[in-house]
């Protein structure tokens, strides 16, 4: 089992940037793919971005491509999400997640992840 703790959320104006971080503990972090999801009020949790165990491959939701960048530091057991050009539609609780496997060959879904953080709120004011 892995424990995940997100940080870095907050309130930002439209067009601004935020960087989310997720610290992992309790399992060999470097062996597993990681992901970020988000959930807005009244909506289902949706995929945002994922990264393979080595960091060599990444996946993004169409809605964030070109604006968000996922990265990981296996030496520090952290995964980050750099979010630029934020807009009101990005407002949500953002969750870090750890996968069952080390590599994806398709855009992952909620079912591909076994452990979740508590989430961090991101609010974009327009």
């Amino acid at each position: 089992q892995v424990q995940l703790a997100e940080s870095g959320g907050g309130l930002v104006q439209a067009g601004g940037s935020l960087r989310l971080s997720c610290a992992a503990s309790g399992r060999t972090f470097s062996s597993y793919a990681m992901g970020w999801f988000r959930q807005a009020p009244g909506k289902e949790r949706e995929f945002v971005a994922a990264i393979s165990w080595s960091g060599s491959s990444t996946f993004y939701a169409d809605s964030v491509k070109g604006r968000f960048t996922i990265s990981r530091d296996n030496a520090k057991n952290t995964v980050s999400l750099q979010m630029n050009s934020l807009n009101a539609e990005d407002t949500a609780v953002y969750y870090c997640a750890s996968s069952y496997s080390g590599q994806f060959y398709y855009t992952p879904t909620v079912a591909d992840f076994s452990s979740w953080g508590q989430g961090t709120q991101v609010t974009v004011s327009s």
Side-chain angles (χ1 to χ4, degrees):
Q1 190 74 6
V2 62
Q3 290 76 47
L4 302 171
E6 303 95 337
S7 61
L11 174 64
V12 63
Q13 288 189 332
S17 299
L18 278 176
R19 185 176 181 86
L20 305 183
S21 294
C22 174
S25 61
R27 180 173 84 163
T28 306
F29 174 79
S30 60
S31 296
Y32 299 94
M34 298 292 294
W36 285 95
F37 287 74
R38 67 187 181 187
Q39 188 166 17
K43 295 188 176 181
E44 292 186 355
R45 191 167 299 189
E46 66 173 2
F47 169 75
V48 175
I51 188 167
S52 65
W53 68 274
S54 66
S56 62
S57 64
T58 56
F59 290 85
Y60 294 95
D62 288 344
S63 59
V64 307
K65 278 180 183 176
R67 301 189 298 123
F68 291 12
T69 302
I70 189 171
S71 61
R72 66 188 297 159
D73 185 336
N74 286 343
K76 296 182 178 179
N77 286 4
T78 59
V79 61
S80 299
L81 184 69
Q82 177 66 41
M83 305 186 295
N84 299 328
S85 301
L86 287 161
N87 56 60
E89 288 69 41
D90 295 317
T91 295
V93 177
Y94 283 71
Y95 296 91
C96 173
S98 177
S99 175
Y100 295 101
S101 62
Q103 176 73 52
F104 294 117
Y105 299 96
Y106 52 85
T107 301
T109 68
V110 170
D112 292 306
F113 294 84
S114 57
S115 299
W116 297 82
Q118 299 281 358
T120 185
Q121 176 71 47
V122 171
T123 303
V124 184
S125 63
S126 56

